[in-house]
Amino acid sequence: MCSVFDRDLSGEQQRLELILLPELGRQSQLVTLQNGSTAELVCGATDQDDCAAYSLSGDSVLVMGSDYVRGVRFSLYELGYLQPYDLGWYLSSANFSDIAAMGARPLGLLSVVRYPPDMDDRDFGQVIAGIRDGAAACGGLNVGGDIGHAERLILSASAFGLVAPGRLLRRSGARPGQAVLLSGPTGVARAALVAARAGVLEELPTQLAEILLAPWRRARPRVRHAALFAKAEGVSSCIDTSDGLMAALEQLSSRSRVAVEVELDRIPVDEAVVGVAKRLSLALPDLVLGDSVDFELVCTVDEERAADLMRRASALGLDLFHIGRVADGSGVAVL
Amino acid sequence: MCSVFDRDLSGEQQRLELILLPELGRQSQLVTLQNGSTAELVCGATDQDDCAAYSLSGDSVLVMGSDYVRGVRFSLYELGYLQPYDLGWYLSSANFSDIAAMGARPLGLLSVVRYPPDMDDRDFGQVIAGIRDGAAACGGLNVGGDIGHAERLILSASAFGLVAPGRLLRRSGARPGQAVLLSGPTGVARAALVAARAGVLEELPTQLAEILLAPWRRARPRVRHAALFAKAEGVSSCIDTSDGLMAALEQLSSRSRVAVEVELDRIPVDEAVVGVAKRLSLALPDLVLGDSVDFELVCTVDEERAADLMRRASALGLDLFHIGRVADGSGVAVL
């Protein structure tokens, strides 16, 4: 480990790969329970998936993840486009989206709300109400956590959920020949940020601006898609697009050791994103594929079952787009 | 709710009672699972216990809690008495102690580690190693979570555990006539803080200083006591002493709507705490009863079963002290 510790102040990804994962990789994967049985950690930090997961005795797999929310993602709040209620809703959504990405049904949310000295009771109450309502929209409960002061607003949470044994959806399950499906348009959250920072968000028609801000104000993690994916035969991997569509595809590719090919003209695009791209003379694919917290889901499914899965989604009123395929090889190709 | 929101910038306890609990109290207590069965939130935020708990279908109750660690509790770190590894260990311990206080067996820990720009790789790695080893000492695993930058070191975590149905230990279960038992000496962590701030910690014999710093450096949450309490007949309530012994007793009293009487000369006192009290001319009971994060457990048990429980603890090599009794009424009396 000396070679690691000689390189000080490395970046986040380096710290993850060179320090955190080796340290946590030394752990056992089994925990002994009070009744003498064991719970197995079937997906831990070293798997670098959306969440961790334990196989419990009996009939369920417990899925859990933490997402700390602050910093750059709050710039719309600082610009006045988001209210405290929206931040609370976002905290719930960001955490439950990770649960959905594993195919699990949301159960509950533990939240940490640390508020600055100038946050008054009304705003604090609105954060709490937003967390509760955002959790409820995903079918989960806020079960409490921790509140108190801090220099700046700090929001963090842990979400947990359950999935049936054998139905956990990992990033590593994609297989050559499978279809790649996407639950909805991406790049919307990024387009909102870009438009706000360029000062043009207010110039857009109100309806367009509301569409752009929806992923920030009332994100809807794809828990119904997740339930469908977990039940359907042939779905073998899943990930959310909370770091953008390209990042999601790259993760599927690298964790599954496969190549992913998507066709640009099959990727759904929201008209509001087209509007921002035109208004600011931006390349549309950069918006649609780039870093954007849209909380859509990407899954892979056996090619011969893809049409049936899309029909079942449609019957439930859920969008689902066939955007590409998995192939032998590595990397992501946008055709 | 208007009366609440007209009173701005209320304190943490007020915000908890007047805002957070009413907001969360509006939630359902049931979550529907993918297989159509339901999980019931049997202990939520409004119960104000150490953790929340869900009754899962099958044979287990899932227990979960979050503890954010920063601020005043880090003053020993700022004074140079704690190393990054110790902080990591403490984060695990503080979170698993809450799990133990519900009678549950630790399962896993999600951790959020946000580090300041000047924390180098070695220190970061030591925080992670401390979290892992602190979790292992409790029989749990660190399953990952979230890392990244922040202005200051921020450590937060969520711990998970399991307990058998009907064996969840709440603060609200104490009944008149029961005995009050304590797992070990309290006030040690507080004595360390007081001594360090007064500048006398280094003047004490090394062995004494190490005893005082142990709750900060290598806290040992009472998970083995918890397992015993959860199995034993007649144990009806439990809480940890992470806010001090008096605060723990007051919580048992108020949540159970009973009076608690303890006898001062039955409360175990560590010689190191006596040493600090003498050295600084402090009242010993203030140290032993006051705010101190010792992670001991207090439980109540039917009087006729208390001696047997203490024998069973002794057979396992666990300390257990009979410090008082539960009575009709309210409040805490120190005799």
Side-chain angles (χ1 to χ4, degrees):
Chain A
M1 294 295 287
C2 280
S3 61
V4 170
F5 291 130
D6 291 338
R7 293 176 39 209
D8 278 357
L9 298 175
S10 56
E12 186 177 323
Q13 189 60 29
Q14 284 71 40
R15 286 194 169 180
L16 178 70
E17 292 178 11
L18 300 179
I19 304 176
L20 189 139
L21 298 181
E23 290 287 349
L24 297 188
R26 294 182 199 164
Q27 297 178 120
S28 152
Q29 304 296 295
L30 289 177
V31 172
T32 306
L33 304 178
Q34 278 172 5
N35 61 8
S37 68
T38 54
E40 184 184 0
L41 183 68
V42 291
C43 187
T46 50
D47 293 289
Q48 296 188 64
D49 216 309
D50 287 279
C51 289
Y54 277 95
S55 173
L56 302 183
S57 63
D59 56 355
S60 54
V61 173
L62 175 65
V63 176
M64 59 192 73
S66 278
D67 212 357
Y68 171 96
V69 174
R70 240 201 26 74
V72 63
R73 293 187 175 174
F74 275 8
S75 62
L76 285 177
Y77 176 62
E78 281 154 11
L79 289 169
Y81 291 107
L82 300 180
Q83 300 304 310
Y85 181 90
D86 305 328
L87 299 184
W89 185 291
Y90 183 93
L91 180 66
S92 282
S93 300
N95 277 277
F96 280 127
S97 180
D98 286 329
I99 296 293
M102 308 292 289
R105 177 78 175 75
L107 190 62
L109 186 83
L110 288 161
S111 56
V112 172
V113 179
R114 291 274 162 169
Y115 46 89
D118 62 347
M119 173 172 264
D120 66 21
D121 282 6
R122 176 184 295 274
D123 285 353
F124 172 77
Q126 288 300 303
V127 170
I128 301 296
I131 294 173
R132 178 201 58 199
D133 294 347
C138 292
L141 303 174
N142 181 3
V143 300
D146 182 302
I147 64 167
H149 291 281
E151 295 91 12
R152 292 184 58 172
L153 182 60
I154 289 172
L155 297 172
S156 186
S158 296
F160 31 94
L162 294 172
V163 63
R167 296 301 185 171
L168 186 70
L169 297 176
R170 303 159 190 259
R171 298 176 176 179
S172 59
R175 293 187 297 262
Q178 290 191 308
V180 177
L181 308 185
L182 172 65
S183 64
T186 53
V188 185
R190 181 181 178 82
L193 259 189
V194 169
R197 287 177 180 160
V200 302
L201 192 55
E202 307 219 337
E203 296 170 15
L204 296 173
T206 308
Q207 203 179 346
L208 274 197
E210 280 176 5
I211 289 171
L212 292 171
L213 287 168
W216 296 99
R217 291 177 172 168
R218 296 294 176 275
R220 292 284 182 176
R222 301 307 185 186
V223 293
R224 295 180 65 212
H225 283 84
L228 176 63
F229 296 167
K231 267 189 226 167
E233 293 299 320
V235 178
S236 67
S237 74
C238 190
I239 184 172
D240 78 355
T241 64
S242 59
D243 292 325
L245 180 56
M246 183 53 104
L249 297 172
E250 284 170 350
Q251 280 290 322
L252 279 186
S253 164
S254 67
R255 302 299 306 161
S256 298
R257 298 168 186 270
V258 293
V260 172
E261 298 171 359
V262 294
E263 295 176 47
L264 199 53
D265 58 7
R266 286 183 166 217
I267 297 174
V269 181
D270 197 289
E271 280 307 308
V273 177
V274 176
V276 171
K278 281 189 184 153
R279 179 74 177 74
L280 296 174
S281 303
L282 299 172
L284 186 60
D286 288 350
L287 279 182
V288 169
L289 291 164
D291 185 9
S292 181
V293 283
D294 300 296
F295 303 126
E296 298 297 339
L297 293 182
V298 177
C299 79
T300 63
V301 61
D302 296 345
E303 180 63 46
E304 66 273 18
R305 299 182 194 269
D308 181 56
L309 184 62
M310 293 172 73
R311 271 193 298 274
R312 291 174 63 186
S314 178
L316 293 169
L318 304 176
D319 286 337
L320 196 54
F321 304 89
H322 187 154
I323 63 169
R325 58 189 283 273
V326 183
D328 283 312
S330 63
V332 177
V334 181
L335 308 175
Chain B
M1 296 294 288
C2 280
S3 61
V4 171
F5 292 132
D6 290 339
R7 292 175 40 207
D8 279 357
L9 299 175
S10 55
E12 187 178 323
Q13 190 59 29
Q14 285 70 41
R15 286 194 168 179
L16 178 70
E17 291 178 11
L18 300 178
I19 305 176
L20 189 140
L21 298 182
E23 290 288 348
L24 297 188
R26 294 181 199 165
Q27 297 178 119
S28 152
Q29 303 297 295
L30 288 178
V31 172
T32 306
L33 304 178
Q34 279 173 3
N35 61 8
S37 68
T38 53
E40 183 184 0
L41 183 67
V42 292
C43 187
T46 50
D47 293 289
Q48 297 188 62
D49 216 309
D50 287 278
C51 289
Y54 277 94
S55 173
L56 302 183
S57 64
D59 57 355
S60 55
V61 173
L62 175 66
V63 175
M64 60 196 69
S66 278
D67 212 357
Y68 171 96
V69 173
R70 241 202 22 74
V72 61
R73 293 186 174 177
F74 276 8
S75 61
L76 285 177
Y77 175 62
E78 283 154 9
L79 289 170
Y81 290 107
L82 301 180
Q83 300 304 310
Y85 180 90
D86 305 329
L87 299 182
W89 185 292
Y90 184 93
L91 180 67
S92 282
S93 300
N95 277 277
F96 280 128
S97 181
D98 286 331
I99 297 293
M102 308 292 286
R105 178 77 176 74
L107 190 62
L109 187 84
L110 288 161
S111 56
V112 173
V113 179
R114 291 274 163 171
Y115 46 88
D118 62 347
M119 173 173 264
D120 65 24
D121 283 7
R122 177 184 294 273
D123 285 353
F124 173 76
Q126 287 301 303
V127 170
I128 300 297
I131 294 173
R132 177 201 60 199
D133 294 347
C138 292
L141 303 175
N142 182 5
V143 300
D146 183 300
I147 64 167
H149 290 281
E151 295 91 11
R152 292 184 57 171
L153 181 60
I154 289 172
L155 297 172
S156 186
S158 296
F160 305 83
L162 293 173
V163 63
R167 296 300 184 171
L168 186 69
L169 297 176
R170 302 158 189 260
R171 297 177 176 181
S172 58
R175 294 187 297 263
Q178 290 190 309
V180 177
L181 308 186
L182 172 65
S183 64
T186 55
V188 184
R190 181 181 179 81
L193 259 188
V194 169
R197 287 176 179 160
V200 302
L201 192 55
E202 308 218 337
E203 297 170 15
L204 295 174
T206 308
Q207 203 180 346
L208 274 197
E210 282 178 4
I211 290 171
L212 292 172
L213 287 168
W216 296 100
R217 291 177 172 169
R218 296 293 177 276
R220 292 284 182 176
R222 301 308 183 186
V223 293
R224 294 180 66 212
H225 283 85
L228 175 64
F229 296 168
K231 268 191 225 166
E233 294 300 319
V235 178
S236 68
S237 74
C238 189
I239 184 172
D240 77 354
T241 64
S242 59
D243 292 325
L245 180 57
M246 183 54 101
L249 297 172
E250 284 170 351
Q251 280 290 323
L252 279 186
S253 163
S254 67
R255 302 300 306 162
S256 299
R257 300 169 185 269
V258 294
V260 172
E261 298 171 357
V262 294
E263 295 175 47
L264 198 54
D265 57 7
R266 285 183 166 216
I267 297 175
V269 181
D270 197 289
E271 280 308 306
V273 177
V274 175
V276 170
K278 280 189 185 154
R279 179 73 178 74
L280 296 173
S281 303
L282 298 171
L284 186 60
D286 290 350
L287 279 183
V288 170
L289 291 164
D291 185 10
S292 182
V293 284
D294 299 296
F295 303 126
E296 298 296 339
L297 293 182
V298 177
C299 79
T300 63
V301 60
D302 297 345
E303 180 62 47
E304 65 273 19
R305 298 181 194 270
D308 181 56
L309 184 62
M310 293 172 71
R311 270 193 300 274
R312 291 174 63 187
S314 178
L316 294 168
L318 304 175
D319 285 337
L320 196 53
F321 303 89
H322 187 156
I323 64 169
R325 58 189 284 274
V326 184
D328 284 313
S330 63
V332 177
V334 180
L335 308 176

